[in-house]
Amino acid sequence: MLNKALPVDKAAPMLDTSTPKWVFLQLLESCNLRCKMCFEWGDNGSYKDKPELKKLDSGIVMQIIEDFKESRPYYELYGGEPLLYPQIDEVLAAIKHYGSGVHFPTNGTLLERHAEMLVEHAPERIWVSLDGPEEINDAQRGAGVFQKAMRGIRKLYELRESKGAMYPKIGISTAVTPINWKHLERFYFESLDLSMLDCISVELQQYVTQERYEAYASLLHREFGVPWAPIARGFISDPARFSEIDPAELARQLKRIEQHCGERQMYFNAYPKVISEENIRNYFTANWHKVTNMKKRCVFPWISTEVNARGEVTSCHNFYDLTLGNVYEQSLKEIWNGQRYKEYRDYLRKNLFPICPGCCLYYNEKPRI
C-alpha cells in the first residue's frame, strides 16, 4: 500500500525535517487474505516464511503519538490488515485527540463489523483495496472478498450520512496487475456505486527485477552491514509477466476514470502520476529511467518514517530490510535524529537504491529537501 497524500508544491520553501511529516505504523503482520500480488502474503510474499508473526505493542504506539503531539504529523496505519489490530479503536482515538490526521488501507472484509467504530473515531480517509469486478477481484484476492467489501462500504457510507458526518472519506485503491488491467473501466463504471465514494487511487503494481534485487541486497551488505534482504525479495518479478498488458488501452481506461473524477470533483490519484501510454510501457518493461518525473533521489527519507510490527524503524515498505533503530530500545524521535538515519540520508543524497525505480510512487512531483 502507498501514501496518497504526498505534498506537491514546486515553489515550496525548503522543508523543516527536524520531525517527520508522516508517520507510518505497521500495526501487525497478520492478514486474513492472501492476495496474489502482495509482497507480504502473496505468491512471492516473504511473510509466509516468518516463524512468528508480530504486532506492535499498543503502549509503544501510544507513546509515539504522545511524543509527536506538538508537530502533529499525518499517520498512516498498515498491516497485514489494520482492522485486525485489537486496539485499533484506541489508536484512532489517540491520533484524533492530538489533532493529527490519519489514513489507512484495508481489504474491506472487516469494514461492516467495524463501521460504527470508524464513524465514531473518524479517520480522514479509508482506502478499500479492490481490483476489479467481482470475478476479477476475487480471482486476485480470494472468494467472497468483493461482496464483503461492498457490504462494508455501504454500511460505512450509510452510517456516516445518517450522522451527518464528514469523515471518514471512503476511497477505492486499485493495484493494476496482469489479472485486472482489462477490466478497470467495467469495474469503476459498472460494478461500483460511485456516489458512495470520495476518492480513487490507481497504482501500477510495484515490482523489481531479479538483477536489481541482487544489486540492492549486495549494497545493503556492503554499505550498511545488513546480511540479507528477505522483505524486498517479495517484490521480485520478471517484466515478461506484464507483457500482455496493452499500454494504450490501459492509458485510455485510466484517463477516462481520471476525467470522470474531475467532472465529479472527486479526488483522483495515479502512480506514476502522469498517465500515458509511454509511461505505462516503460514502467512495465523496467525502462524506469524513461518514466516521466524520474527523480535523482526520493524525498521520503526526509519527510516520513515507518515503524514496522517488530518495532524496527525504516524509511518505507521497500526498506524493511534496512533497520535504522528500534522503538523498543529508543524513542522514535531519537532514532529520526540519530546517527544511523543521518548516514542513511547522506547515502541517498548522492545515490539511488537499485530497487527505488520499481516503486510507482517514485514518479511524482515532490517538495524540495
Side-chain angles (χ1 to χ4, degrees):
M1 294 295 175
L2 301 170
N3 183 343
K4 313 297 192 302
L6 184 68
V8 177
D9 186 355
K10 291 182 179 180
M14 296 291 282
L15 284 171
D16 174 14
T17 59
S18 58
T19 59
K21 303 300 178 285
W22 276 266
V23 175
F24 298 73
L25 300 174
Q26 186 193 35
L27 298 177
L28 75 175
E29 295 175 331
S30 300
C31 186
N32 57 336
L33 298 186
R34 296 294 181 266
C35 304
K36 292 181 180 298
M37 70 296 184
C38 177
F39 76 94
E40 295 176 346
W41 287 108
D43 290 345
N44 298 321
S46 60
Y47 282 29
K48 294 185 292 186
D49 296 330
K50 291 190 174 184
E52 182 183 5
L53 298 178
K54 297 288 188 178
K55 67 181 180 211
L56 198 55
D57 181 80
S58 62
I60 290 288
V61 175
M62 296 303 177
Q63 187 62 57
I64 290 170
I65 297 168
E66 170 78 18
D67 288 347
F68 287 107
K69 64 183 180 182
E70 301 298 332
S71 58
R72 295 196 301 178
Y74 276 92
Y75 290 90
E76 296 215 16
L77 309 179
Y78 285 93
E81 168 52 49
L83 288 178
L84 286 173
Y85 191 67
Q87 295 84 23
I88 183 69
D89 55 339
E90 297 173 21
V91 173
L92 292 173
I95 292 172
K96 183 178 180 180
H97 173 75
Y98 287 117
S100 282
V102 58
H103 302 180
F104 68 88
T106 173
N107 60 42
T109 59
L110 303 174
L111 272 180
E112 189 174 19
R113 181 190 308 175
H114 291 291
E116 292 272 5
M117 179 273 290
L118 292 170
V119 172
E120 177 185 355
H121 294 302
E124 286 189 357
R125 282 184 187 158
I126 295 174
W127 291 98
V128 184
S129 299
L130 286 170
D131 295 331
E134 183 172 1
E135 76 281 6
I136 301 300
N137 180 82
D138 288 3
Q140 190 156 280
R141 293 185 175 269
V145 170
F146 185 88
Q147 287 300 329
K148 287 180 182 178
M150 294 307 297
R151 288 197 300 270
I153 289 171
R154 182 166 295 280
K155 183 171 182 180
L156 186 61
Y157 172 79
E158 290 176 350
L159 278 172
R160 186 190 72 185
E161 295 302 296
S162 70
K163 296 178 182 295
M166 182 179 296
Y167 300 110
K169 300 295 186 185
I170 304 170
I172 297 292
S173 179
T174 298
V176 179
T177 72
I179 295 175
N180 70 348
W181 72 272
K182 291 181 181 179
H183 308 279
L184 300 181
E185 198 170 28
R186 181 162 64 94
F187 172 49
Y188 277 100
F189 297 116
E190 297 179 24
S191 301
L192 295 176
D193 182 351
L194 294 177
S195 67
M196 294 190 296
L197 303 179
D198 303 287
C199 38
I200 289 172
S201 181
V202 184
E203 302 142 12
L204 303 189
Q205 180 181 344
Q206 295 188 68
Y207 75 102
V208 65
T209 62
Q210 180 72 37
E211 180 183 19
R212 282 186 175 266
Y213 167 77
E214 290 175 359
Y216 171 67
S218 177
L219 183 151
L220 288 190
H221 182 67
R222 182 177 66 252
E223 299 290 339
F224 298 97
V226 178
W228 63 318
I231 306 302
R233 191 187 67 235
F235 289 97
I236 296 173
S237 189
D238 188 333
R241 280 195 65 242
F242 307 106
S243 62
E244 294 186 4
I245 294 177
D246 181 342
E249 170 58 16
L250 178 53
R252 184 194 67 77
Q253 292 184 73
L254 293 179
K255 286 178 179 178
R256 185 186 171 198
I257 296 167
E258 181 182 36
Q259 179 182 0
H260 180 81
C261 289
E263 291 169 353
R264 293 192 61 222
Q265 297 185 316
M266 177 189 292
Y267 175 75
F268 176 79
N269 178 76
Y271 289 123
K273 203 71 174 175
V274 177
I275 298 170
S276 71
E277 176 182 349
E278 294 77 13
N279 273 351
I280 293 170
R281 177 178 293 107
N282 288 326
Y283 183 85
F284 281 134
T285 57
N287 287 301
W288 292 306
H289 64 286
K290 296 182 179 179
V291 179
T292 304
N293 289 341
M294 174 67 173
K295 300 296 190 296
K296 293 182 179 179
R297 66 174 181 259
C298 180
V299 70
F300 283 108
W302 286 267
I303 67 170
S304 71
T305 192
E306 181 154 356
V307 183
N308 72 19
R310 295 168 184 260
E312 296 166 343
V313 178
T314 63
S315 180
C316 76
H317 281 332
N318 300 23
F319 300 145
Y320 272 13
D321 297 305
L322 175 57
T323 300
L324 303 170
N326 193 298
V327 293
Y328 290 106
E329 300 169 1
Q330 288 179 286
S331 73
L332 184 54
K333 273 190 175 182
E334 290 173 327
I335 295 168
W336 173 260
N337 292 297
Q339 182 61 29
R340 189 161 173 82
Y341 229 123
K342 179 182 182 302
E343 292 170 356
Y344 166 70
R345 294 190 188 103
D346 286 346
Y347 181 87
L348 288 177
R349 283 186 188 277
K350 301 175 183 178
N351 305 278
L352 184 67
F353 284 164
I355 64 171
C356 290
C359 171
C360 62
L361 183 61
Y362 190 67
Y363 308 96
N364 189 18
E365 299 293 343
K366 68 178 185 180
R368 293 166 59 203
I369 55 176

